[in-house]
Amino acid sequence: TDANFDDPKVASMPKILLMGPRRGGKTSIQRVIFQKMSPHETLFRLEATQSLERAIVDHTPLCRFTVWDFPGDFYEGDETVFGGAASLIFVVDAQDEPYDHVLQSFTDAVTKAIQLNPNIVIEVFINKVDGELFLSDESKYDCRRDVYTQVNYELEDAGISPDNINIRYHLTSIYDHTIYEGLSRVVQRLIPQLPTLESLLNVLVSQCSMEKAYLFDVVSKLFISTDPGPVDMQSVELCSDMIDVVLDVSGIYGLGPSQLELGHAAAAAESNSVEGADPNSTSENKDGFDVPDELVGTLISQAPAEDLEEEMVDPDSAYDSESASVIRLSNGMVLYLKEVDTMLALVCITRSENFRKKSLINYNIGCLKKALRALVDNESL
Amino acid sequence: MAKKKVLLMGKAHSGKTSMRSIIFANYLARDTTRLSPTLDVEHHHVRFLGDLVLNLWDCGGQDAFYESYFERDRETIFRSVELLIYVFDIESDSPEKDFDHFSGVLEAIEENSPDARIFILVHKMDLVSLEEREAIFEDRKRVIEQECSNFGVEHFHIFGTSIWDETLYKAWSEIVTNLIPNIRLLESHLNTFCKVCDADEVVLFERATFLVISQAQAESSGDDHLLTGPGGDSKEATTQAAFASPSGGADGVPGLDEAAQPSADETNDTSSTTGLVVPPDDLDSAAGPSNDTPRHAARTPHFDAHRFEKISNIVKQFKLSCGKAQAQFQGMEVRNSRFSAFIDAFTANTYIMVIVSNPNVHTAATLLNIQNARDHFERFIPRI
Ligand SMILES: Nc1nc2c(ncn2[C@@H]2O[C@H](COP(=O)(O)OP(=O)(O)OP(=O)(O)O)[C@@H](O)[C@H]2O)c(=O)[nH]1
Ligand SMILES: Nc1nc2c(ncn2[C@@H]2O[C@H](COP(=O)(O)OP(=O)(O)O)[C@@H](O)[C@H]2O)c(=O)[nH]1
Ligand SMILES: [Mg+2]
């Protein structure tokens, strides 16, 4: 499957490099997030990586990149490796002390990388912070401090001032949500439209009095943007679990038989162009609905009408243009998920009293949807 | 309140405590690696459907314990057993020894509780590769059947299980529904409800464990072999008026598509008389039970025989996620262009799932039907 990496379209995607010591968990991370391997399967299904393995992540237009999984202990990167890379993720095994040898190699790789590519972002994944050794949060923070101190020491030793390079540290484990959190933060940096996304979500949240809104890549469950309000990782995790629920339930009851493919696709395209239209048909919208923010307005006006048609996606897919879900919680909160683009989901957290204005919410999500589409089309020009 | 004694036996490390903890104590599969071996017999009382108390005897599986199970404590252990669950570890390194204990257990049960129902679980099936799973299971099943017939045990059920997938829920649903009396009556009411909602299927789950206790399918759903209950009998069992609720009305039931409701008028009409909303194209069949033809021909067939257990698994996982976020799960709707699923707290001790693929059935109508059926069904959940 390496063939299409010469395709200029693929070559121009941001590159994420995974490097680090043997058995640090690079391949596990890649498989768990992007290929849906269950974490406990990595225990017996993975062999040591022998040569570079590349993968394309391209489910949703706003979030495309390639992942380069290197064999353990490979730090000899050159121009071709570090040259076009957007991020270097260095995976350290937290359960394999001492770290000094590993971090020495890390410093060597980093020195080389920033020499060849000053724009590269360095991310350290302190992986495997789970199990007996890391039962308390304290022990995790201690571990992060150790790694941090030692890296800075090594860098100074190599004559680099740590202040000159931006290194981010993430405590991760493939057995819990921390790995999604870490990779989400890595991926968010790759999205040039991030500030626009944030303000779009901000408009939505304030127009509809929501608590929080997240955009998720449905396939990887990485969250690629949110409104500027504070992020509570527990709620991100719940939203991400909701995506599982939606995909799993739809996978049972909502898969289309391939024979009906053509008929369905036509019907879907038709109903799609009607969706969100005519928001004024109920009286509800009129109260409390202000003209959308300028930004949204501009973006809508830029979107050429013919481009609003649904891209051809697998018509039998469990996640389609009408995918939506409501989950009610006993604390008066409602989780609302809605498809906003191919394999892209908006997940909102809102109080149930504010959820009554469903058509207002749907109208605003319709606007967001159009704006997202315009954003993508602008990019591909 | 009824107490039922359930024996949980099998060799050490075969997974008995893990299963019990996942089904009745909300453990995650991965948490079970922290369990320590069971010493002697651990007694657990777990509630099911509010009034049924399962008195679980989790019997530690080390050889030394069996000596006392078979000798000193023989009667204490094996007397008045309602149900025996015997667990085999598929990866056992000494299958012969497993059978030593197994035949001893069968003998003791036959002697002390000849009416006990017997369930045999071949566990940790996830450790066998998918390609071989069926064959290896069938093979093991044959040996077990042979052993049972040697001891004159005729009635028993064998399941392959793993804590890592839905097979666990399948087996335990069967085990537990076996203890519920009057389940047929409930099924017939559920069948009627399924028809009235024009749903593809309706499933009832026990609230705490999310084990399936009853289900009903539309006749046209394509897997008739799964139809349960007496089918036609349901017509005489209930009339639709029985569902009537004084406070029918679509208000306050927010649905996914409340913005567009062309049929709102019909909706209100119907609900004011019966409390239940019948889909517009279906009004005549509601008036008289003469119409037996499938109404919604394009209904998607569901071939996945494990779907209910998968749903149990999915919802239970999500309930745990909610717990972590200091919230409790109440209900959900999921849809795409082909279906809508409603999973909602139903009676005091159950959740209901309603699957609708007919695009003419409105969300608000289904939600209203669920709401109005609550009181009615409360009376038909078996009291033990
Ligand atoms: N406890 C724990 N184990 C992990 C975690 N991530 C990976 N592992 C385990 O670590 C082992 C090695 O994982 P790999 O993904 O093959 O490591 P790698 O970095 O790709 O190794 P090379 O390809 O040899 O460089 C596997 O047994 C994984 O199950 C984690 O977060 N926690
Ligand atoms: N792979 C696998 N492991 C399991 C399964 N069920 C239980 N285990 C593991 O088996 C071990 C022993 O389980 P335990 O419940 O203590 O066994 P008991 O002695 O029969 O109560 C634990 O480490 C569990 O995590 C299963 O279905 N598959
Ligand atoms: Mg590897």
Side-chain angles (χ1 to χ4, degrees):
Chain A
T1 55
D2 248 33
N4 43 7
F5 276 84
D6 294 329
D7 180 340
K9 205 175 139 216
V10 174
S12 70
M13 290 181 186
K15 289 198 280 186
I16 298 179
L17 313 180
L18 282 168
M19 290 188 176
R22 286 185 193 285
R23 297 191 63 74
K26 302 176 287 298
T27 311
S28 305
I29 292 171
Q30 204 274 118
R31 296 292 159 88
V32 168
I33 304 280
F34 300 113
Q35 290 168 25
K36 303 291 121 196
M37 186 180 273
S38 76
H40 82 277
E41 271 180 291
T42 63
L43 273 174
F44 49 89
R45 287 200 33 202
L46 290 185
E47 308 210 334
T49 310
Q50 298 300 331
S51 60
L52 171 62
E53 289 172 15
R54 295 182 290 184
I56 303 173
V57 177
D58 182 15
H59 327 113
T60 183
L62 281 170
C63 173
R64 320 184 131 123
F65 49 90
T66 56
V67 181
W68 299 44
D69 177 16
F70 287 90
D73 296 334
F74 175 95
Y75 315 112
E76 304 303 305
D78 54 16
E79 189 74 42
T80 54
V81 169
F82 292 126
S87 315
L88 165 62
I89 299 179
F90 193 88
V91 182
V92 182
D93 182 345
Q95 300 189 6
D96 191 21
E97 277 195 286
Y99 312 126
D100 43 352
H101 186 68
V102 164
L103 293 179
Q104 247 162 31
S105 323
F106 169 68
T107 316
D108 293 345
V110 168
T111 317
K112 189 89 142 283
I114 52 172
Q115 226 164 42
L116 293 164
N117 177 359
N119 295 324
I120 197 165
V121 180
I122 311 289
E123 317 266 4
V124 178
F125 278 26
I126 305 164
N127 193 37
K128 306 199 194 181
V129 278
D130 52 46
E132 301 285 293
L133 285 173
F134 294 98
L135 289 175
S136 70
D137 285 346
E138 194 88 319
S139 55
K140 299 178 189 174
Y141 300 144
D142 282 351
C143 178
R144 180 168 59 191
R145 202 182 38 234
D146 285 353
V147 171
Y148 174 83
T149 316
Q150 214 159 331
V151 165
N152 283 355
Y153 171 80
E154 294 280 351
L155 284 173
E156 264 171 41
D157 223 32
I160 303 172
S161 162
D163 302 334
N164 291 342
I165 24 173
N166 184 3
I167 303 180
R168 296 196 298 179
Y169 297 84
H170 313 261
L171 291 162
T172 63
S173 163
I174 57 167
Y175 285 97
D176 58 36
H177 195 254
T178 53
I179 191 60
Y180 290 90
E181 189 179 333
L183 264 182
S184 293
R185 302 220 181 272
V186 170
V187 164
Q188 284 168 19
R189 278 220 174 169
L190 307 180
I191 304 172
Q193 307 94 332
L194 196 65
T196 318
L197 291 179
E198 279 181 9
S199 30
L200 284 170
L201 292 171
N202 193 29
V203 173
L204 177 74
V205 164
S206 48
Q207 293 288 356
C208 304
S209 317
M210 292 170 173
E211 303 302 302
K212 204 72 193 129
Y214 299 97
L215 277 183
F216 277 91
D217 169 19
V218 170
V219 181
S220 64
K221 291 193 296 161
L222 297 180
F223 88 95
I224 65 176
S225 180
T226 179
D227 61 283
V231 173
D232 156 27
M233 279 325 290
Q234 221 150 43
S235 71
V236 178
E237 188 172 349
L238 194 60
C239 293
S240 141
D241 290 337
M242 179 180 192
I243 293 176
D244 279 335
V245 169
V246 171
L247 291 185
D248 290 347
V249 174
S250 305
I252 294 171
Y253 288 108
L255 288 177
S258 303
Q259 313 88 283
L260 294 175
E261 194 170 305
L262 289 174
H264 265 275
E270 216 166 71
S271 69
N272 197 51
S273 61
V274 180
E275 190 176 340
D278 200 14
N280 297 316
S281 57
T282 61
S283 58
E284 223 174 2
N285 307 316
K286 285 177 186 145
D287 54 59
F289 182 69
D290 299 325
V291 181
D293 185 274
E294 262 176 21
L295 177 70
V296 184
T298 331
L299 282 163
I300 293 172
S301 65
Q302 281 173 2
E306 61 269 35
D307 278 344
L308 288 176
E309 257 173 18
E310 188 66 7
E311 265 177 50
M312 277 307 289
V313 274
D314 177 10
D316 281 350
S317 157
Y319 188 77
D320 66 22
S321 61
E322 286 176 52
S323 282
S325 175
V326 177
I327 294 183
R328 288 176 296 277
L329 302 176
S330 59
N331 60 3
M333 289 295 173
V334 172
L335 305 178
Y336 184 39
L337 176 149
K338 216 160 156 49
E339 192 261 10
V340 285
D341 201 346
T342 318
M343 290 301 152
L344 193 64
L346 173 75
V347 187
C348 316
I349 303 177
T350 182
R351 295 182 185 282
S352 56
E353 58 266 28
N354 296 330
F355 191 65
R356 297 225 173 87
K357 297 185 178 166
K358 191 64 170 302
S359 42
L360 168 72
I361 294 176
N362 280 342
Y363 175 73
N364 279 303
I365 293 178
C367 294
L368 174 80
K369 207 167 159 168
K370 286 179 197 148
L372 288 175
R373 184 51 64 87
L375 211 55
V376 172
D377 290 339
N378 268 4
E379 188 59 23
S380 59
L381 285 182
Chain B
M1 191 195 301
K3 277 197 181 179
K4 310 261 182 180
K5 177 172 170 184
V6 176
L7 279 191
L8 194 50
M9 299 191 111
K11 241 187 71 167
H13 215 68
S14 56
K16 303 178 289 295
T17 309
S18 302
M19 287 194 271
R20 170 173 67 72
S21 310
I22 292 172
I23 296 287
F24 297 107
N26 289 336
Y27 270 57
L28 286 173
R30 65 175 137 93
D31 294 337
T32 61
T33 50
R34 297 204 203 111
L35 291 170
S36 46
T38 308
L39 298 180
D40 270 312
V41 182
E42 274 183 31
H43 298 270
H44 287 266
H45 297 257
V46 294
R47 271 181 181 279
F48 195 81
L49 278 178
D51 290 331
L52 175 60
V53 174
L54 302 183
N55 194 353
L56 280 179
W57 293 42
D58 184 351
C59 306
Q62 290 161 44
D63 292 346
F65 302 142
Y66 273 92
E67 278 167 33
S68 63
Y69 300 159
F70 288 146
E71 305 291 334
R72 202 189 62 210
D73 300 328
R74 191 179 183 91
E75 293 207 346
T76 326
I77 302 247
F78 293 101
R79 224 177 20 204
S80 46
V81 174
E82 286 292 326
L83 205 146
L84 164 71
I85 302 170
Y86 198 92
V87 185
F88 285 101
D89 183 342
I90 191 73
E91 281 230 309
S92 165
D93 32 309
S94 57
E96 319 79 45
K97 196 103 150 263
D98 293 359
F99 277 107
D100 279 358
H101 292 331
F102 181 55
S103 44
V105 170
L106 288 181
E107 204 174 55
I109 279 284
E110 282 298 288
E111 183 186 300
N112 293 284
S113 304
D115 293 331
R117 276 155 282 195
I118 300 176
F119 287 84
I120 297 155
L121 308 183
V122 181
H123 193 55
K124 305 197 189 177
M125 289 303 291
D126 61 283
L127 296 175
V128 181
S129 78
L130 209 56
E131 304 83 60
E132 292 177 305
R133 212 169 278 177
E134 174 93 32
I136 290 188
F137 175 66
E138 286 303 323
D139 195 57
R140 193 60 63 98
K141 192 171 161 185
R142 222 173 3 255
V143 183
I144 295 170
E145 280 167 353
Q146 185 58 50
E147 191 70 15
C148 286
S149 84
N150 288 349
F151 281 83
V153 177
E154 308 250 304
H155 299 286
F156 55 90
H157 304 268
I158 306 183
F159 293 93
T161 53
S162 162
I163 56 168
W164 292 103
D165 58 41
E166 70 283 350
T167 52
L168 183 71
Y169 287 87
K170 169 88 182 163
W172 282 84
S173 283
E174 298 276 340
I175 291 171
V176 166
T177 43
N178 233 282
L179 294 173
I180 307 175
N182 286 330
I183 201 93
R184 292 276 159 218
L185 182 63
L186 179 63
E187 264 167 15
S188 76
H189 284 265
L190 215 54
N191 265 313
T192 311
F193 184 64
C194 182
K195 278 204 192 101
V196 169
C197 290
D198 198 9
D200 298 28
E201 57 191 17
V202 177
V203 186
L204 270 192
F205 299 95
E206 197 273 332
R207 201 167 186 134
T209 56
F210 243 82
L211 294 173
V212 177
I213 53 175
S214 189
Q215 68 198 56
Q217 271 87 28
E219 279 122 20
S220 55
S221 70
D223 46 3
D224 289 351
H225 62 283
L226 278 172
L227 264 180
T228 53
D233 296 1
S234 58
K235 271 172 215 142
E236 65 202 45
T238 43
T239 61
Q240 281 163 3
F243 293 109
S245 130
S247 60
D251 337 17
V253 192
L256 279 174
D257 59 0
E258 75 175 7
Q261 263 200 55
S263 64
D265 290 344
E266 289 122 287
T267 301
N268 284 339
D269 277 347
T270 327
S271 63
S272 60
T273 53
T274 65
L276 278 198
V277 185
V278 181
D281 58 352
D282 221 57
L283 284 171
D284 15 34
S285 78
S290 58
N291 185 355
D292 274 338
T293 50
R295 310 137 181 160
H296 179 48
R299 194 165 268 152
T300 323
H302 309 300
F303 296 115
D304 188 345
H306 298 296
R307 61 192 181 282
F308 305 144
E309 295 77 55
K310 285 185 177 164
I311 297 284
S312 299
N313 201 7
I314 293 165
V315 176
K316 214 163 162 196
Q317 294 285 336
F318 189 74
K319 281 174 78 176
L320 291 173
S321 310
C322 290
K324 261 205 294 185
Q326 273 87 47
Q328 271 185 324
F329 169 76
Q330 272 193 327
M332 68 166 88
E333 298 161 42
V334 178
R335 68 163 41 177
N336 71 12
S337 60
R338 280 172 288 270
F339 81 108
S340 303
F342 303 81
I343 301 175
D344 229 325
F346 194 49
T347 66
N349 299 312
T350 62
Y351 268 77
I352 195 167
M353 174 172 81
V354 179
I355 303 294
V356 179
S357 66
N358 182 349
N360 298 322
V361 176
H362 281 283
T363 298
T366 309
L367 287 173
L368 188 62
N369 281 341
I370 293 175
Q371 189 176 303
N372 289 348
R374 281 199 174 100
D375 289 344
H376 173 75
F377 271 91
E378 197 67 83
R379 291 182 283 139
F380 290 98
I381 303 297
R383 291 272 164 261
I384 299 128

